[in-house]
Amino acid sequence: RRGIETLDLDGVEMVCIAYLRVKGSPSHLRYLLQRLRDRLPRQKLLVGLWPEDDATLSDREVQRSLGADLYVGTLVEAVDHCIEEAREPVREETRETAAA
C-alpha cells in the first residue's frame, strides 16, 4: 500500500485486490481502496474476499463504506468480472487521461 503513489498506472482499467479474513471494521481495506481511488478515479476496483462466507460480501452498507465497485467471494467470480471488463470498450475518460 505504501507503493501506490509510485505505481505506473498507464492503461490500467481495473484493479483487483484479494483479501483474506476481513473481520470487524475493515478500515485497512477502506484506506487502501481510498488510496487507489485517488489515483484511479474512473477505473473499476474489485475486491475478492476469502473465505466466501465473509459478511462483507452480503452487507451492502459495509460495501458502500469500503468503496470498491465489485465484491466477489471466489476466484472464478473475480476472473469472470475481469473478462467481462476486458470486453468492454475502453472508457473515453480513461483514454483522455492517458493522453494528457
Side-chain angles (χ1 to χ4, degrees):
R1 79 189 149 167
R2 287 184 212 131
I4 290 173
E5 294 304 317
T6 60
L7 282 176
D8 178 6
L9 299 173
D10 288 341
V12 171
E13 288 293 321
M14 182 177 202
V15 174
C16 302
I17 299 168
Y19 235 83
L20 301 173
R21 304 219 182 266
V22 174
K23 296 289 182 196
S25 175
S27 58
H28 48 288
L29 178 55
R30 181 174 43 255
Y31 294 132
L32 174 62
L33 289 167
Q34 285 174 351
R35 285 187 202 95
L36 286 167
R37 185 64 71 200
D38 288 345
R39 295 278 324 271
L40 299 162
R42 293 179 183 89
Q43 288 76 357
K44 289 204 176 165
L45 302 178
L46 177 143
V47 174
L49 297 164
W50 289 274
E52 188 176 0
D53 63 349
D54 190 292
T56 305
L57 290 170
S58 60
D59 190 329
R60 297 286 184 216
E61 193 58 38
V62 171
Q63 290 177 4
R64 271 191 289 278
S65 75
L66 290 174
D69 300 298
L70 301 162
Y71 297 88
V72 297
T74 68
L75 191 53
V76 170
E77 285 179 286
V79 170
D80 287 346
H81 281 292
C82 290
I83 290 170
E84 185 178 313
E85 183 66 19
R87 289 183 178 151
E88 293 285 320
V90 175
R91 290 184 288 280
E92 199 60 39
E93 313 88 62
T94 304
R95 248 190 251 126
E96 291 171 11
T97 303

